[in-house]
């Protein structure tokens, strides 16, 4: 498949290794991958605070950059940015091409699970990881079945992908509760947000895992911030790093 | 302008052990709710049906109100109409005073909190006794409820023990819940027996029957209503359901979702007054129809007040119910009143995680409604937390690839050169978290260098 | 104070698009309903009466009377020591220890029984007592609340209550305590059908 990478601003500027892992992984899986310069923010920072007008130019600039190269699918290693990009391209722009672009943006987990299913043989990895099922991916993108729902066959697409790695042990925290990041919430409501992040790290730690693995870099940044502050012996990583390592 | 939510939680969050205790109590309710929901394979179908049934009700209110009224009247009840809180309180005071009533026992009703009924009746010399144990505790403490279903969830048994020692003469230092509950039972029994009027809320008003359902665990609504010769039931007009099948559907969901019980202990269905007694129903608008005229706000009135969204809300559990400006806390409170510019930080007391949407038995789009209130406040330039100032700036920077690149590069440099001790003193984010370690270059830069263009 | 007309005139039309009434499915449950009912009853703090014949209820009533307890029986054929026909005001029942009442239906999924006001001398008879004994025919057990409400027929014009276990509260630190304002205990006799 011909893939255009959408690398959200936080990943681009603070976690470039997630973007490189995503790029390399997709290439190893046989996809043609391109990246276009000039990508901005999905608008989430502004729209999460209700500032739709302030988000428009950013969303348009992002749309323009992503349209530079023709592709079959746009893939991003960040769930909440995918939710925002899709929603904002639809509701904040009137350009037809932006609307059809919105329809082919996929988060990396859903791309590897639903669009171009991962069937590559993977190398074994002896490690215990705890899955961070962040809320936008879980409840808006359906990367898993949220614990509130009564479903006969719950799914967890991240677990399904990672369980293909031989010898990897996968655990999950006791709850799929929000980690407390929430964009500007992490600053505005610093007490509650900090407490939620601490509770989430404790829940991951209690699983006995060596690493927290997730699909949303912003949540991982928040959890990583607690891990670093408290000197907790846990790695915090995007799942693309794991998959790239074993592919 | 009231204090921001972030400021209001500070007293509560200062005691971390208490936060953990509070959160665990509510999570226990959420867990019991999950077990009950999962015991019914048809649960998700029930939610969908209940949601559509309530949409039917909200889009056919005038007809259903007419039908309910004429059936209630045919069944010997008297129906009153209140456009707002003031009318409601005047109607209730009027009914009581006309009949020379002096003492009212009331069961829990969020509506009476909304319209501030009790202070109004007290002004008229009518004594009001809250009979739900939690509400009674708060009445004695002169404090508002912190939750709509478990109103005293924020209190420790020792605090209640002290209160009861002072107010109803329990042993000093006693804090055993069974002892305290039974002491309250004895004390409240005298209140029930000496009351000359009773008030209840309404959980479901069945239009085609002219009957209504009142659900309690304690039996206080029934104990009150079946002693004196006057019963006043008050209801927001959204409590209507078309028929008994719909009421049964909600009865199957309400307690399961609220407290994880298969049913409340009592589901009492009132279809007529007791012989020789009077039953009055007061139907209230008080801003409901106005909110329902806004499509993106309207679905909050599907709510059946189970409180499950509050129990699952990670912000509520860690901040407590008294940190909100509106009398209903948590997601449903924010969805109802989060557009209030006087309490403009409320709509931001939410991470938009969406767990509330998933537990809601009638699928109120809580997350989307809260997000909508943020939009409304943004349009009115009534944003909290300095957002009026920095959001336009952020919009400009993020809207320009070059501007964004430069700003982020500056942030990386800043974090690299700023000593960690200073970073930790910035506050906000860094109050409990370190900033990420900045990489030397962005991905865009790396890509240009290594992959060319 | 508003008249009904003024109230209706003040209603702003709802922005919710006219939505048709969905079909509300009546959920059912399969046998064995008796066992299901008993399991849930005990789960909500209720007790199963010892014996499954009206004679067992009569015997229990006699035992209670012999212990000098105040027993109000509203169950035909079961003798208490309070005369139901003499009750003119519910306040008179404040010293009743046991009320024995017939239940017209039971609901397996939530362990409740339906008691109709028509079977009580006064509605409060099943709340004001210290202990409640309900008697139901096993053939009157329905699977779900929805089925039960269907079987009740008309609700307007009368009064009745589904009672699921004793009166309870958890308002003090979420500790479950039986006996808040209503009956401290609830026993259900499930009679074998004929």
């Amino acid at each position: 498949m011909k893939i255009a990478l959408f690398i959200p601003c936080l990943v681009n500027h603070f976690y470039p290794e997630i973007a490189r892992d995503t790029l390399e992984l997709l290439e190893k899986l046989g996809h043609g991958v391109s990246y276009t310069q000039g990508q901005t923010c999905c608008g989430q920072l502004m729209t999460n605070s209700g500032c739709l007008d302030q988000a428009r130019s950013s969303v348009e600039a992002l749309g323009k950059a992503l349209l530079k190269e023709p592709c079959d699918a746009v893939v991003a290693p960040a769930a909440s940015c995918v939710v925002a990009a899709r929603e904002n391209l639809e509701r904040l722009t009137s350009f037809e091409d932006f609307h059809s672009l919105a329809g082919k943006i996929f988060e990396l987990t859903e791309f590897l699970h639903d669009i171009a299913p991962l069937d590559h043989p993977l190398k074994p990895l002896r490690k215990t990881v705890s899955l961070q099922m962040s809320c936008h991916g879980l409840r808006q993108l359906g990367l898993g079945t949220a614990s509130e729902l009564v479903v006969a066959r719950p799914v967890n697409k991240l677990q399904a992908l990672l369980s293909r790695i031989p010898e990897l042990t996968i655990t999950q925290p006791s709850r799929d509760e929000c980690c407390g990041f929430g964009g500007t919430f992490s600053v505005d409501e610093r007490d509650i947000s900090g407490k939620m992040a601490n509770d989430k790290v404790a829940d991951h730690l209690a699983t006995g895992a060596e690493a927290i693995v997730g699909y949303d870099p912003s949540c991982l940044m928040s959890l990583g911030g607690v891990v670093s502050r408290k000197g907790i012996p846990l790695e915090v990583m995007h799942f693309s790093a794991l998959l790239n390592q074993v592919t | 302008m009231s204090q921001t939510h972030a400021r209001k939680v500070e007293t509560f969050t200062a005691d971390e052990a208490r936060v953990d205790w509070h959160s665990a109590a509510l999570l226990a309710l959420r867990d019991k709710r999950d077990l009950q929901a999962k015991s019914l394979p048809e649960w998700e179908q029930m939610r969908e049906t209940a949601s559509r049934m309530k949409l039917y009700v909200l889009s056919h209110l005038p007809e259903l109100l007419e039908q309910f009224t004429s059936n209630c009247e045919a069944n010997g009840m008297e129906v009153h109409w209140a456009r707002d809180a003031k009318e409601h309180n005047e109607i209730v005071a009027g009914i009581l005073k006309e009949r020379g009533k002096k003492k009212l026992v009331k069961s829990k009703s969020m509506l009476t909190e909304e319209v501030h009924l009790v202070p109004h009746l007290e002004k008229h010399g009518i004594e009001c006794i809250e009979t739900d144990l939690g509400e009674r505790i708060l009445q004695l403490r002169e404090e508002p409820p912190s939750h709509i279903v478990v109103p005293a969830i924020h209190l420790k048994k020792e605090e209640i023990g002290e209160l009861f020692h002072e107010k109803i003469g329990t042993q000093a230092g006693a804090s055993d819940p069974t002892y305290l509950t039974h002491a309250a039972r004895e004390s409240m029994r005298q209140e029930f027996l000496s009351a000359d009027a009773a008030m209840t809320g309404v959980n479901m008003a069945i239009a085609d029957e002219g009957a209504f359902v009142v659900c309690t665990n304690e039996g206080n609504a029934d104990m009150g209503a079946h002693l004196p010769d006057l019963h006043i039931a008050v209801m927001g007009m959204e409590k209507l359901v078309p028929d008994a099948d719909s009421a049964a559907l909600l009865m199957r969901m309400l307690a399961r979702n609220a407290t994880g019980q298969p049913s409340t202990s009592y589901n009492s269905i009132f279809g007529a007054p007791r012989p020789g007694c009077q039953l009055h129903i007061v139907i209230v608008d008080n801003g409901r129809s106005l909110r329902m005229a806004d499509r993106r706000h309207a679905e909050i009135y599907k709510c059946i007040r189970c409180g499950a969204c509050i129990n699952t809300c990670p912000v509520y559990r860690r901040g407590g119910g008294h940190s909100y400006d509106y009398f209903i806390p948590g997601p449903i409170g924010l969805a109802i009143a989060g557009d209030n510019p006087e309490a403009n930080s409320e709509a931001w007391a939410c991470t938009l995680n969406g767990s509330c949407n998933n537990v809601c038995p009638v699928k109120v789009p809580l997350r989307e409604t809260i997000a909508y209130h943020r939009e409304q406040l943004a349009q009115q330039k009534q944003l909290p937390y300095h957002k009026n100032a920095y959001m336009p700036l952020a919009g400009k920077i993020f809207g320009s690839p070059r501007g964004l690149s430069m700003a982020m590069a500056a942030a990386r440099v800043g974090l690299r050169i700023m000593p960690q001790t200073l970073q930790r003193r910035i506050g906000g984010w860094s109050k409990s978290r370190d900033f990420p370690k900045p990489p030397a270059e962005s991905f865009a830069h790396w890509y240009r260098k290594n992959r060319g263009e | 104070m508003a008249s009904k007309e003024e109230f209706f005139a003040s209603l702003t039309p709802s922005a919710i698009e006219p939505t048709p009434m969905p079909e509300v499915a009546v959920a059912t449950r399969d046998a064995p309903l008796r066992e299901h009912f008993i399991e849930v009853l005990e789960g909500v703090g209720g007790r199963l009466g010892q014996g499954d014949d009206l004679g067992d209820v009569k015997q229990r009533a006699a035992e209670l009377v012999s212990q000098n307890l105040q027993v109000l029986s509203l169950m035909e054929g079961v003798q208490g020591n309070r005369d139901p026909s003499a009750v003119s005001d519910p306040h008179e029942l404040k010293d009743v220890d046991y009320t024995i009442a017939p239940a017209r239906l039971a609901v397996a999924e939530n362990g409740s029984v339906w008691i109709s006001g028509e079977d009580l001398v006064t509605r409060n008879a099943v709340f004001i007592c210290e202990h409640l004994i309900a008697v139901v025919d096993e053939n009157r057990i329905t699977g779900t609340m929805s089925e039960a409400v269907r079987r009740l027929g008309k609700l307007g014009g009368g009064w009745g209550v589904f009672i699921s276990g004793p009166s309870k509260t958890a308002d003090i630190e979420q500790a479950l305590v039986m006996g808040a304002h209503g009956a401290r205990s609830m026993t259900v006799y499930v009679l074998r059908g004929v």
Side-chain angles (χ1 to χ4, degrees):
Chain A
M1 250 187 193
K2 190 162 168 29
I3 294 170
L5 282 183
F6 160 32
I7 301 302
C9 50
L10 178 75
V11 175
N12 184 20
H13 294 282
F14 281 88
Y15 298 99
E17 69 279 9
I18 296 178
R20 289 197 298 272
D21 282 324
T22 304
L23 169 68
E24 289 172 15
L25 169 66
L26 290 170
E27 285 176 339
K28 285 180 197 170
L29 295 174
H31 299 292
V33 188
S34 65
Y35 171 74
T36 50
Q37 299 286 338
Q39 296 184 19
T40 48
C41 166
C42 60
Q44 192 178 192
L45 175 76
M46 285 72 77
T47 54
N48 266 3
S49 271
C51 300
L52 270 50
D53 291 338
Q54 283 80 359
R56 192 166 288 113
S57 55
S58 175
V59 175
E60 283 172 353
L62 174 65
K64 244 188 275 175
L66 290 176
L67 283 177
K68 279 187 208 163
E69 284 264 353
C71 68
D72 303 315
V74 176
V75 176
S80 68
C81 305
V82 167
V83 173
R86 283 183 188 164
E87 187 181 17
N88 290 338
L89 283 165
E90 284 281 352
R91 67 176 169 170
L92 299 182
T93 71
S94 47
F95 189 28
E96 195 54 45
D97 287 0
F98 284 169
H99 295 179
S100 51
L101 174 67
K104 59 177 184 182
I105 301 178
F106 301 99
E107 187 278 328
L108 183 63
T109 319
E110 70 181 344
F111 180 78
L112 296 177
H113 189 275
D114 302 335
I115 308 300
L118 178 71
D119 55 8
H120 219 75
L122 303 175
K123 288 178 271 192
L125 181 67
R126 200 173 284 267
K127 200 180 183 80
T128 304
V129 299
S130 179
L131 303 185
Q132 168 56 34
M133 299 299 291
S134 292
C135 303
H136 280 75
L138 183 66
R139 298 195 183 83
Q140 309 301 121
L141 291 180
L143 298 183
T145 304
S147 58
E148 304 90 17
L149 299 174
V150 181
V151 175
R153 280 186 202 78
V155 296
N156 185 323
K157 295 179 183 177
L158 181 60
Q159 183 173 31
L161 286 180
L162 297 185
S163 64
R164 296 183 38 83
I165 303 175
E167 293 178 34
L168 185 76
T169 307
I170 301 170
T171 65
Q172 286 195 61
S174 63
R175 300 193 170 273
D176 57 9
E177 178 171 84
C178 176
C179 71
F181 173 68
T184 59
F185 180 88
S186 61
V187 180
D188 301 335
E189 291 267 9
R190 64 267 165 187
D191 288 343
I192 304 273
S193 174
K195 174 69 177 145
M196 286 167 71
N198 270 285
D199 288 352
K200 180 56 85 178
V201 167
D203 203 355
H204 279 295
L205 190 63
T207 65
E210 300 151 76
I212 299 174
V213 173
Y215 46 66
D216 218 321
S218 48
C219 304
L220 295 175
M221 172 173 73
S222 175
L223 300 178
V226 169
V227 164
S228 157
R229 172 66 55 93
K230 291 198 154 172
I232 291 167
L234 267 175
E235 262 183 281
V236 181
M237 61 203 293
H238 191 268
F239 80 98
S240 59
L242 271 188
L243 280 182
N244 188 31
Q245 198 184 333
V246 297
T247 304
Chain B
M1 188 77 71
S2 68
Q3 272 189 335
T4 63
H5 182 267
R7 282 300 298 274
K8 285 201 223 157
V9 298
E10 282 173 0
T11 357
F12 195 80
T13 54
D15 183 350
E16 192 175 357
R18 191 165 182 132
V19 170
D20 289 338
W21 166 84
H22 185 257
S23 184
L26 289 145
L27 279 176
L29 290 176
R30 162 72 206 279
D31 288 345
K32 286 197 276 178
R33 172 262 170 211
D34 286 1
L35 279 177
Q36 280 297 330
K38 283 165 193 181
S39 75
L40 301 186
E42 66 267 38
W43 183 259
E44 297 298 334
Q45 185 54 47
M46 289 165 69
R47 290 178 69 217
E48 182 58 30
T49 306
S51 165
R52 279 164 44 205
M53 181 271 286
K54 284 303 247 182
L55 286 174
Y56 166 77
V57 169
L58 299 182
S59 61
H60 293 81
L61 265 181
E63 301 97 287
L64 290 167
L65 282 169
E66 285 279 11
Q67 190 190 14
F68 178 65
T69 305
S70 58
N71 285 327
C72 285
E73 286 169 351
N75 291 335
M77 307 179 212
E78 204 174 312
V79 181
H80 306 262
W81 306 90
R83 288 174 294 192
D84 54 28
K86 185 167 170 284
E87 285 186 354
H88 169 272
N89 293 348
E90 283 168 3
I91 289 167
V92 173
I95 296 170
L96 293 167
K97 283 173 72 181
E98 244 172 66
R99 291 160 184 78
K101 301 298 186 187
K102 290 273 173 229
K103 182 169 183 171
L104 178 78
V105 282
K106 63 183 290 289
S107 62
K108 187 150 65 71
S109 148
M110 280 302 115
L111 177 61
T112 60
E113 296 283 339
E114 172 186 329
V115 299
H116 303 290
L117 175 70
V118 172
H120 180 82
L121 293 182
E122 284 170 348
K123 253 190 353 220
H124 285 272
I126 296 159
E127 188 187 358
C128 298
I129 306 286
E130 295 286 356
T131 59
D132 172 81
L133 178 60
E135 291 282 339
R136 180 62 178 162
I137 290 167
L138 297 170
Q139 187 177 34
L140 293 174
R141 277 175 68 96
E142 299 178 37
E143 193 176 86
S146 72
H147 190 290
I148 62 173
V149 173
V150 283
I153 189 83
H154 60 292
L155 292 176
K156 297 234 178 188
K157 59 186 185 208
E158 291 79 13
E159 290 161 321
I160 296 166
E162 260 174 61
L163 175 78
F164 278 13
H165 173 61
E166 186 193 325
K167 304 280 183 180
I168 63 171
T170 53
Q171 291 161 27
S175 65
D176 173 57
T178 303
Y179 167 73
L180 294 176
T181 299
H182 289 157
R185 173 189 173 95
E186 298 311 319
S187 146
M188 297 300 290
R189 188 55 71 94
Q190 301 316 312
E191 309 286 3
F192 280 120
L193 290 169
S194 59
D196 53 18
M199 171 172 281
T200 67
V202 168
N203 289 95
M204 301 118 203
I206 309 172
D208 73 348
E209 293 278 358
F212 61 90
V213 187
V214 181
C215 310
T216 72
N217 273 321
E218 299 182 3
N220 55 317
D222 285 283
M223 180 64 80
H226 307 314
L227 279 170
D229 61 2
L230 175 65
H231 172 190
I232 305 172
V234 296
M235 58 177 267
M237 58 189 186
E238 78 281 9
K239 293 289 176 186
L240 280 171
V241 295
D243 50 31
D245 283 349
S246 304
L249 173 69
L250 297 186
M251 280 190 268
R252 294 188 77 208
M253 301 180 93
L254 180 61
R256 285 190 168 98
N257 218 52
T259 53
Q261 298 170 262
S263 168
T264 44
S265 299
Y266 303 96
N267 286 291
S268 192
I269 307 184
F270 293 81
R274 257 165 44 236
C277 302
Q278 291 189 349
L279 210 176
H280 295 255
I281 300 174
V282 186
I283 300 177
V284 182
D285 181 345
N286 201 32
R288 285 164 175 72
S289 76
L290 203 61
R291 286 183 175 123
M292 273 187 263
D294 179 347
R295 184 64 186 83
R296 294 180 72 187
H297 205 170
E299 291 193 41
I300 54 172
Y301 291 115
K302 296 195 301 190
C303 174
I304 60 169
R305 298 287 188 266
C306 69
C309 61
I310 305 176
N311 303 340
T312 201
C313 178
V315 180
Y316 169 87
R317 275 191 274 105
R318 291 173 180 81
H322 288 155
S323 64
Y324 298 84
D325 191 75
Y326 192 56
F327 77 102
I328 297 179
I332 184 61
L334 301 185
I336 296 172
D339 56 348
N340 176 13
E342 293 300 309
N344 64 348
S345 68
E346 300 265 285
W348 278 265
C350 166
T351 66
L352 302 179
N353 65 74
S355 179
C356 48
N357 283 32
N358 280 354
V359 295
C360 180
V362 287
K363 297 194 174 182
V364 175
L366 294 154
R367 177 184 183 276
E368 290 70 21
T369 311
I370 295 167
Y372 171 53
H373 294 329
R374 295 182 181 184
E375 284 177 38
Q376 290 173 299
L377 291 166
Q379 272 167 12
Q380 299 160 23
K381 302 214 173 0
Q382 294 282 359
L383 294 167
Y385 304 120
H386 314 295
K387 290 177 200 283
N388 286 320
Y390 79 77
M391 278 298 172
L393 188 64
K396 280 207 187 75
I397 294 172
F398 281 76
S400 142
R402 212 180 127 73
L404 178 60
S405 222
M406 282 165 58
M408 289 292 200
R412 285 200 305 270
V413 171
L415 283 178
R416 245 195 319 274
I417 59 174
M418 193 191 302
Q420 192 142 68
T421 45
L422 185 59
Q423 286 186 26
R424 290 182 177 182
R425 257 184 272 146
I426 293 174
W429 170 275
S430 72
K431 196 169 170 186
S432 44
R433 281 167 292 223
D434 286 344
F435 288 105
K437 291 188 182 50
E441 59 179 354
S442 69
F443 174 73
H445 193 257
W446 174 90
Y447 191 87
R448 201 180 290 126
K449 252 179 21 196
N450 293 279
R451 298 295 183 97
E453 295 246 357
Chain C
M1 245 166 275
S3 66
K4 182 175 156 193
E5 289 67 34
E6 285 171 317
F7 180 92
F8 275 91
S10 76
L11 291 183
T12 326
S14 166
I16 295 177
E17 55 292 347
T19 308
M21 178 64 187
E23 193 192 329
V24 179
V26 175
T28 57
R29 287 293 180 273
D30 296 332
L33 295 178
R34 182 189 171 97
E35 287 70 18
H36 187 187
F37 170 73
I38 291 167
E39 185 192 328
V40 181
L41 172 72
E42 291 176 341
V44 297
R47 294 175 200 152
L48 179 67
Q50 295 301 303
D52 53 15
D53 185 82
L54 192 62
D56 298 311
V57 186
K58 284 186 199 171
Q59 197 188 329
R60 178 69 181 139
E63 274 168 33
L64 295 169
V65 168
S66 73
Q67 292 164 30
N68 281 327
L69 293 163
Q70 294 296 310
V71 181
L72 174 72
S73 174
L74 305 166
M75 184 79 204
E76 217 182 293
V78 176
Q79 194 63 41
N81 55 6
R82 295 286 286 252
D83 178 6
S85 64
V87 178
S88 61
D89 181 310
H91 293 82
E92 294 165 14
L93 299 179
K94 64 182 179 188
D95 60 340
V96 167
D97 295 301
Y98 279 82
T99 294
I100 302 172
R104 295 187 177 194
L105 285 176
V107 184
E109 69 165 338
N110 59 25
S112 69
V113 297
W114 170 257
I115 293 178
S116 165
E118 289 175 28
D119 296 329
L120 308 176
V121 276
T122 184
R123 293 176 185 178
N124 212 338
V126 289
F127 302 97
I128 202 165
C129 51
E130 288 291 301
H131 304 278
L132 176 64
I133 294 173
V135 183
V136 71
D137 185 317
E138 70 171 354
N139 293 322
R140 308 288 295 171
I141 302 175
T142 64
T144 69
M145 200 68 157
S146 297
E147 292 174 284
V149 167
R150 272 281 168 96
R151 280 173 70 172
L152 291 180
K154 198 169 152 44
L155 300 169
W159 172 87
V161 60
F162 286 99
I163 304 184
S164 169
S167 158
K168 52 181 92 71
T169 184
D171 273 345
I172 300 178
E173 276 202 13
Q174 287 298 294
L176 182 63
V177 179
M178 302 298 174
H181 296 300
R184 293 173 192 266
S185 78
M186 189 210 198
T187 304
V188 182
Y189 281 85
V190 182
L191 305 190
R192 287 280 170 204
V194 205

